[in-house]
Amino acid sequence: MAPTTEDGEPSTRRAAPAAAPPPGRPPLSEAVAPGGRMPRWLPRAMVLALALIAAFQLGSWAFHQLTGLLINILIAFFLALAIEPAVSRMAARGIRRGLATFLVFFGLTIVAAGFVTLLGSMLAGQIIKMIEGFPEYLDSLINWINAKFHTDLRRVDVQEGLLHSAWLRKYVQNSAAGVLDVSAQVLGGLFQLLTVALFSFYFAADGPRLRRALCSVLPPARQAEVLRAWEIAVDKTGGYLYSRGLMALISGIAHYILLEAMGVPYAPVLGVWVGLVSQFIPTIGTYLAGALPMLIAFTVNPWYAVWVLGFVVIYQQFENYMLQPKLTAKTVDIHPAVAFGSVVAGTALLGAVGALIAIPAVATLQAFLGAYVKRYAVTDDPRVHGHRGRNQGGAGMLTRMRRLWAGRRPGGQERS
């Protein structure tokens, strides 16, 4: 039926043609793959993306699971670098390298076992002495309280009250429940110690073989750089341990003199304890080292414990700001500020282990990179030494202002 107008007459207008697609836009049939399917590259891209995500997650999980093992290997590597000079000297005299490494470890084990035995016997003797003298200490404390506060306390009543108190029963129950946790921690520590010892033994005994295996996958130019970096690491690690040993000796002698002057028993062993623990246990080593002498001094005289605490604090400040920066900078050859910053950064990254190995690692990196940094002769200028000329800076500006002021008349006009 033909279209009509509102009055019923046939319409003479033609229908508008269909809108043409805008120029430049491809037809819809060309934008979709034949048959309405997705492009061939899209499934492969999705599979590749999922595989990359899965590999990243798996690698992250494996790294977190193996963090403890990697840290133990790192400690073992630096320990092997520390004993490398002794093993190399013995090997140069005709001793097999494996036997030389075993002799070095055997000597270190004998020294450590002797020190632990002496320290354990001393500590056990002091604990027995404190337990035997506990009633006397308690009687003196009760007498002082009765005289000071006009009370009527008796040692028997205090002991019965302590034995039948609720907090003591709760403490015993918690201690019994925590025995298994302590045992597990001790076994875990022994396993970590054994792991570090085994890896360090292999690194030291098979050092030449390890270097050959590493150099076999590198071109000759890179092999020389790797061997040079290895030697630098040995020198810097040995220098760091030498500085720590020297500071331990100084600290042990200083604390021994104090304890011997006050008449504290076992002063030589306590001096060795303070020196070793304060230097080779980072961050908390000072507090652990000072706690035992304070406890022993308290058994002699309570005021002696206060004197020991004050000496430990003062000596620690002297060591941190005077002794340690100079010795570390001389033996490891790095600036004191760099040494302090490396310890802080190592502690933030790896905790106590990072604080212990940060300085030799930074010293090794600094010495290795120093060979590739081009240096120039410094010009002979007084400003290099911090001297400033008279006509420089503020003095020159003041002279120019005076000349400008002298060239003007009082009325502000220029002189003719």
Side-chain angles (χ1 to χ4, degrees):
M1 182 177 181
T4 58
T5 61
E6 296 179 356
D7 299 334
E9 298 177 357
S11 175
T12 58
R13 291 181 302 176
R14 296 180 179 179
R25 179 182 298 178
L28 186 60
S29 59
E30 298 180 4
V32 182
R37 293 177 297 178
M38 67 178 64
R40 296 180 179 179
W41 57 267
L42 186 58
R44 287 180 291 179
M46 295 177 62
V47 172
L48 180 61
L50 293 177
L52 291 177
I53 295 175
F56 175 77
Q57 294 292 337
L58 181 61
S60 177
W61 173 81
F63 177 78
H64 287 293
Q65 295 294 325
L66 297 176
T67 300
L69 178 61
L70 296 177
I71 293 177
N72 291 334
I73 294 176
L74 185 62
I75 298 174
F77 178 72
F78 275 93
L79 181 59
L81 292 179
I83 65 174
E84 176 76 18
V87 174
S88 299
R89 290 192 190 99
M90 297 176 68
R93 295 180 179 180
I95 303 176
R96 291 186 304 169
R97 193 172 182 88
L99 180 60
T101 306
F102 173 77
L103 292 177
V104 173
F105 269 93
F106 183 75
L108 293 176
T109 304
I110 292 298
V111 172
F115 174 71
V116 171
T117 302
L118 291 176
L119 187 65
S121 62
M122 178 202 68
L123 187 59
Q126 291 298 318
I127 291 176
I128 294 174
K129 183 179 178 181
M130 290 180 63
I131 293 175
E132 292 177 350
F134 179 75
E136 183 179 354
Y137 296 146
L138 187 58
D139 287 337
S140 61
L141 179 61
I142 290 174
N143 293 333
W144 180 81
I145 294 176
N146 291 335
K148 191 70 175 179
F149 299 100
H150 305 286
T151 57
D152 189 15
L153 297 176
R154 294 183 304 173
R155 177 162 58 89
V156 179
D157 298 337
V158 174
Q159 290 178 349
E160 290 181 356
L162 290 175
L163 293 176
H164 295 86
S165 60
W167 68 269
L168 182 60
R169 291 195 299 267
K170 185 177 180 181
Y171 175 78
V172 172
Q173 293 175 357
N174 294 334
S175 300
V179 169
L180 294 178
D181 296 337
V182 173
S183 302
Q185 292 179 0
V186 170
L187 292 177
L190 292 176
F191 180 75
Q192 290 182 356
L193 182 62
L194 180 61
T195 303
V196 171
L198 287 176
F199 275 108
S200 59
F201 181 85
Y202 292 143
F203 287 152
D206 294 337
R209 186 184 304 175
L210 181 61
R211 286 190 285 268
R212 285 195 300 268
L214 184 61
C215 292
S216 63
V217 297
L218 297 174
R222 298 297 180 184
Q223 293 178 15
E225 296 178 359
V226 169
L227 295 177
R228 184 175 180 274
W230 196 291
E231 293 299 325
I232 291 175
V234 171
D235 295 338
K236 295 303 179 180
T237 305
Y240 173 71
L241 292 180
Y242 166 75
S243 64
R244 284 290 175 178
L246 185 58
M247 286 191 295
L249 178 62
I250 297 173
S251 176
I253 292 175
H255 289 83
Y256 163 73
I257 293 175
L258 173 69
L259 297 174
E260 188 68 24
M262 292 190 302
V264 177
Y266 305 102
V269 181
L270 290 175
V272 175
W273 162 265
V274 173
L276 293 179
V277 175
S278 62
Q279 300 304 321
F280 292 98
I281 298 182
T283 309
I284 62 173
T286 302
Y287 307 103
L288 293 177
L292 185 59
M294 288 175 56
L295 180 63
I296 304 301
F298 183 82
T299 60
V300 179
N301 190 336
W303 283 106
Y304 285 177
V306 178
W307 284 104
V308 172
L309 176 61
F311 183 82
V312 168
V313 173
I314 295 174
Y315 181 83
Q316 184 65 26
Q317 302 306 314
F318 166 75
E319 181 182 281
N320 290 339
Y321 295 100
M322 299 292 296
L323 186 62
Q324 180 176 351
K326 294 182 179 180
L327 290 179
T328 304
K330 290 181 179 179
T331 55
V332 192
D333 195 21
I334 61 177
H335 193 273
V338 178
F340 178 75
S342 62
V343 170
V344 174
T347 305
L349 292 175
L350 297 176
V353 176
L356 188 61
I357 66 176
I359 293 179
V362 172
T364 302
L365 181 62
Q366 177 179 333
F368 181 71
L369 295 179
Y372 300 95
V373 177
K374 189 176 181 181
R375 298 183 181 274
Y376 302 92
V378 181
T379 180
D380 189 10
D381 195 313
R383 290 172 293 182
V384 176
H385 305 285
H387 304 295
R388 297 176 60 85
R390 294 183 178 180
N391 295 329
Q392 298 176 0
M397 181 65 68
L398 183 60
T399 302
R400 289 194 294 268
M401 292 180 63
R402 286 179 179 177
R403 290 178 180 176
L404 182 62
W405 179 260
R408 292 178 175 274
R409 292 183 177 181
Q413 300 178 355
E414 295 284 345
R415 290 182 180 180
S416 58

